Amino acid sequence: MTDTPETKYTQQAAPSDLDECVGTRVQEERVRLQLTQAQLAERLGISRTSANLYEGGKHLPRAEVLIRLDGLGADVLYILTGRKPGTDVVDLDVMAFAMEEVRRQTSQSAEEMSYRDCLSRAWPIYMALMNYKRLSSELKSTVP
């Protein structure tokens, strides 16, 4: 379904498995941080309704909310992927660059897209950049 300017940020879609998994993990992190839903909403600067929608898997948290969750000590990698931190962590600078590239490309075509569509288009760019970064590093280490 294509977003129109009127529905760009208000479109109500049925929750997906991803939404529900992310919601469950937001709730797990809130409990781990020993916060009530009201306290979490207050510290994130969102309404209690929004916090409830996130935890209920009805909406995915926006990037700004995820950044604030990280600032509270929540494990955002776990919230988004279900993986606990290890050697695979998202390079936020590279992801921000990938998101900006998607925005640049779509602004040239006057195409409207949802945040979720932007993120799903940015992910392959992110992965390509990370592979390039890894290969460049490996090449540098093998050159005498």
Side-chain angles (χ1 to χ4, degrees):
M1 178 187 305
T2 305
D3 289 335
T4 64
E6 295 79 31
T7 62
K8 184 175 177 185
Y9 295 108
T10 60
Q11 191 172 48
Q12 299 284 326
S16 69
D17 290 340
L18 173 66
D19 295 345
E20 291 171 5
C21 291
V22 168
T24 299
R25 292 189 293 258
V26 167
Q27 182 179 28
E28 288 172 10
E29 286 298 288
R30 174 183 59 78
V31 170
R32 185 182 64 79
L33 294 169
Q34 300 178 342
L35 297 172
T36 66
Q37 203 173 64
Q39 290 170 325
L40 180 69
E42 181 182 330
R43 292 185 185 179
L44 293 177
I46 61 173
S47 68
R48 287 182 66 185
T49 301
S50 291
N52 187 38
L53 290 171
Y54 294 152
E55 288 189 10
K58 306 291 187 225
H59 290 288
L60 286 173
R62 298 188 59 79
E64 302 84 38
V65 174
L66 292 170
I67 290 167
R68 290 185 204 128
L69 276 166
D70 181 64
L72 293 176
D75 184 344
V76 175
L77 177 64
Y78 172 67
I79 290 172
L80 293 175
T81 67
R83 292 189 318 241
K84 292 292 182 176
T87 57
D88 280 346
V89 291
V90 174
D91 184 323
L92 295 178
D93 292 331
V94 175
M95 180 53 86
F97 178 84
M99 294 283 287
E100 284 303 315
E101 178 59 21
V102 169
R103 287 188 190 106
R104 184 190 66 75
Q105 290 175 7
T106 56
S107 71
Q108 292 174 351
S109 67
E111 178 184 358
E112 291 287 332
M113 74 169 49
S114 69
Y115 177 78
R116 185 175 299 191
D117 289 341
C118 183
L119 186 58
S120 58
R121 288 187 186 183
W123 187 251
I125 295 170
Y126 170 83
M127 293 302 294
L129 291 168
M130 292 304 292
N131 283 333
Y132 174 79
K133 193 174 177 180
R134 180 182 53 80
L135 289 172
S136 295
S137 175
E138 288 175 6
L139 284 174
K140 286 179 185 174
S141 66
T142 60
V143 175

